[in-house]
Amino acid sequence: MSNRRDFLTRAGAALVGAAAVSRAGAASLPEAPTQSSAATVAPPAPPNGRPYRPVVTLNGWSLPWSMKDGVKQFHLVAEPVVREIAPGMHATMWGYNGQSPGPTIEVVEGDRVRIFVTNKLPEHTSIHWHGQILPNGMDGVTGLTQPGILPGKTFVYEFVARHAGTFMYHPHADEMTQMAMGMMGLWITHPKLLSQHAVERDFAFLLGAFDIAPGASTPKVNTMLDFNLWTFNSRAFPGIDPMVVRLGDRVRIRAGNLTMTNHPIHLHGHRFAVTGTDGGWVPPAARWPEVTTDIAVGQMRAIEFVADNPGDWAFHCHKSHHTMNAMGHDVPTLIGVDHRGIASEINALIPGYMVMGDKGGAMGGMRMPLPENTLPMMSGEGPFGGIEMGGMFTTLKVRAGQGRDDYADPGWYQHPPGTQAREWTGAVPAAPSAPSAPSAGAAATVTVKRGGAHGGH
């Protein structure tokens, strides 16, 4: 059991705010709820404390709290978890309270919060509250502001949520391993005034990248850039839920990036304004219009728009390899290569061999056997066939008549007559001719007009 003297000694004789919890204190710890489902859990209204409109964590959930003497108490458990990346594939990861990412923590500006963190990992850990302005001893940097939380131990962090905005939490202990294994989560601090920054729909998620070999289930923690699974909240399309909104709603989407590269996130069918960063809200006069916003490593962006264009709109990272699953990056390009001769010879040795890649990368309706516990490179079926996407891709479903707090999938959009691209079977109008270019070798005539004050030039 840690006493005060031992605690101060291990902290370098400085009072560290992230304190170990004694056995007596552990007996009164608030409950640590867990979640096994990978579905989006629409959060209930806050049961006590200051009112706020909760966020919807895409394929995630918000962590309940208990109130004690006016302090919001949360309990996070760092532990091994199994996360369904998409139907047919599960990953053995590290996370919090049964999931990776961990549950979203939601508080209100000015709240005093107390977070108990229990370590059930095989090594020490800590939690850094990314973007929060707080006492130095609560910052969660192992060795610098606190000792590591050893396996089986519980620490407590306590501070006031001073600024409204979108923040993240993650370890500052063996980061290369622990973050690569999926240890991260969202923190939302709502403004005191309900009318401030008010929206009808508020979605949030983290961008994640993992390297999991086909047939395996544990991420490779030493990978630097060559990842094969790109995710929203540790889910890959077609396992990512749609964002369902009502026509005319003001919508906010918050995305944080804890991967090893930047992500240009693109929305179809709407223009948006960048309204928030992990440094806080962008003043209205400084906001700028976009259809794509680049989110760098360690950054967060909040975008807002009015959902005034009904339909099923794509929402995705614009790096094309980030909308694919479990792809091999060393496959040669075979477009235009004539396989006919070699294909017949290979078929004699390997019956059923198919020529692929000579006409492009689309797989059409082909379904090939896959290694155990992996995903097809491009997948997802839409109303008109294969969507041919994976990874960081989902849809924004804008519907008239959707209930105010109804997030149920309304199905595929029914296009009004005359508003959908279609095959043309009539005569094709003649294309206008381009203007003729000068013939080769013809001298160009240049007319020079001299200015009145520069006659000597």
Side-chain angles (χ1 to χ4, degrees):
M1 182 176 71
S2 299
N3 58 33
R4 179 176 175 83
R5 178 177 296 175
D6 293 336
F7 177 71
L8 292 175
T9 301
R10 287 187 290 110
L15 181 60
V16 177
V21 176
S22 68
R23 282 182 192 166
S28 60
L29 286 178
E31 182 184 0
T34 61
Q35 177 62 260
S36 58
S37 171
T40 300
V41 179
N48 48 45
R50 294 184 178 96
Y52 63 84
R53 183 155 179 78
V55 301
V56 175
T57 305
L58 195 62
N59 289 103
W61 59 300
S62 291
L63 185 63
W65 69 83
S66 62
M67 291 287 281
K68 184 174 182 181
D69 300 326
V71 179
K72 281 185 178 175
Q73 296 191 138
F74 299 86
H75 191 178
L76 285 171
V77 178
E79 61 185 350
V81 302
V82 175
R83 176 68 164 175
E84 184 187 65
I85 302 293
M89 182 185 181
H90 292 78
T92 303
M93 306 170 77
W94 290 357
Y96 301 94
N97 298 58
Q99 283 290 5
S100 166
T104 299
I105 295 174
E106 296 190 70
V107 301
V108 178
E109 188 179 16
D111 279 351
R112 176 167 286 278
V113 295
R114 184 178 297 132
I115 309 105
F116 297 90
V117 180
T118 298
N119 183 11
K120 293 186 178 180
L121 300 174
E123 66 171 357
H124 71 274
T125 190
S126 72
I127 294 192
H128 168 57
W129 312 101
H130 185 112
Q132 301 274 5
I133 306 302
L134 37 59
N136 182 243
M138 297 292 176
D139 198 43
V141 181
T142 301
L144 178 65
T145 66
Q146 69 166 83
I149 308 172
L150 297 177
K153 299 294 184 181
T154 297
F155 270 45
V156 61
Y157 298 81
E158 185 170 340
F159 53 90
V160 173
R162 293 170 53 186
H163 302 286
T166 310
F167 310 102
M168 301 177 274
Y169 63 86
H170 60 80
H172 239 297
D174 191 14
E175 283 187 60
M176 185 180 76
T177 297
Q178 295 186 15
M179 292 179 69
M181 288 290 285
M183 295 186 71
M184 57 191 73
L186 281 165
W187 177 299
I188 309 295
T189 302
H190 296 278
K192 287 180 182 178
L193 298 177
L194 278 172
S195 59
Q196 191 175 16
H197 310 300
V199 294
E200 281 80 34
R201 307 266 173 157
D202 198 341
F203 297 94
F205 58 89
L206 288 171
L207 306 170
F210 304 98
D211 184 9
I212 302 177
S217 65
T218 303
K220 298 178 183 178
V221 299
N222 294 320
T223 298
M224 293 180 65
L225 291 174
D226 202 18
F227 298 96
N228 64 3
L229 288 168
W230 304 91
T231 66
F232 291 167
N233 259 19
S234 299
R235 291 282 284 184
F237 186 76
I240 303 174
D241 288 342
M243 293 180 287
V244 179
V245 306
R246 180 176 55 174
L247 184 67
D249 276 351
R250 183 163 187 84
V251 180
R252 178 184 297 127
I253 302 175
R254 316 177 194 226
N257 180 10
L258 290 176
T259 74
M260 300 285 277
T261 188
N262 65 306
H263 297 281
I265 300 298
H266 176 54
L267 173 63
H268 293 210
H270 296 79
R271 292 182 298 175
F272 58 76
V274 178
T275 59
T277 72
D278 31 353
W281 297 104
V282 179
R287 296 173 181 179
W288 65 98
E290 282 285 8
V291 296
T292 304
T293 185
D294 197 39
I295 309 176
V297 179
Q299 286 187 336
M300 190 286 304
R301 290 290 180 267
I303 65 171
E304 293 180 26
F305 59 95
V306 175
D308 56 5
N309 198 0
D312 295 336
W313 300 105
F315 179 85
H316 60 96
C317 179
H318 219 290
K319 289 186 175 181
S320 57
H321 283 193
H322 296 182
T323 52
M324 295 183 179
N325 299 320
M327 63 179 300
H329 299 149
D330 298 323
V331 178
T333 298
L334 299 174
I335 294 174
V337 176
D338 187 347
H339 290 243
R340 286 173 295 183
I342 191 68
S344 59
E345 295 182 24
I346 294 176
N347 253 301
L349 298 172
I350 309 173
Y353 169 79
M354 294 184 295
V355 173
M356 293 182 295
D358 57 332
K359 298 177 180 65
M363 300 299 180
M366 290 189 292
R367 290 291 182 268
M368 296 173 291
L370 293 173
E372 185 179 351
N373 199 47
T374 193
L375 299 172
M377 188 169 67
M378 296 181 290
S379 186
E381 289 293 322
F384 305 103
I387 296 177
E388 296 187 336
M389 288 284 178
M392 292 178 168
F393 179 95
T394 189
T395 53
L396 173 78
K397 296 196 171 187
V398 182
R399 296 290 190 279
Q402 193 82 7
R404 171 177 168 81
D405 289 312
D406 182 6
Y407 294 92
D409 189 339
W412 298 112
Y413 182 64
Q414 301 299 310
H415 301 87
T419 66
Q420 185 187 15
R422 62 198 184 278
E423 182 184 3
W424 180 261
T425 57
V428 178
S433 300
S436 300
S439 58
T445 302
V446 179
T447 302
V448 177
K449 184 178 180 179
R450 300 185 182 277
H454 302 277
H457 287 186

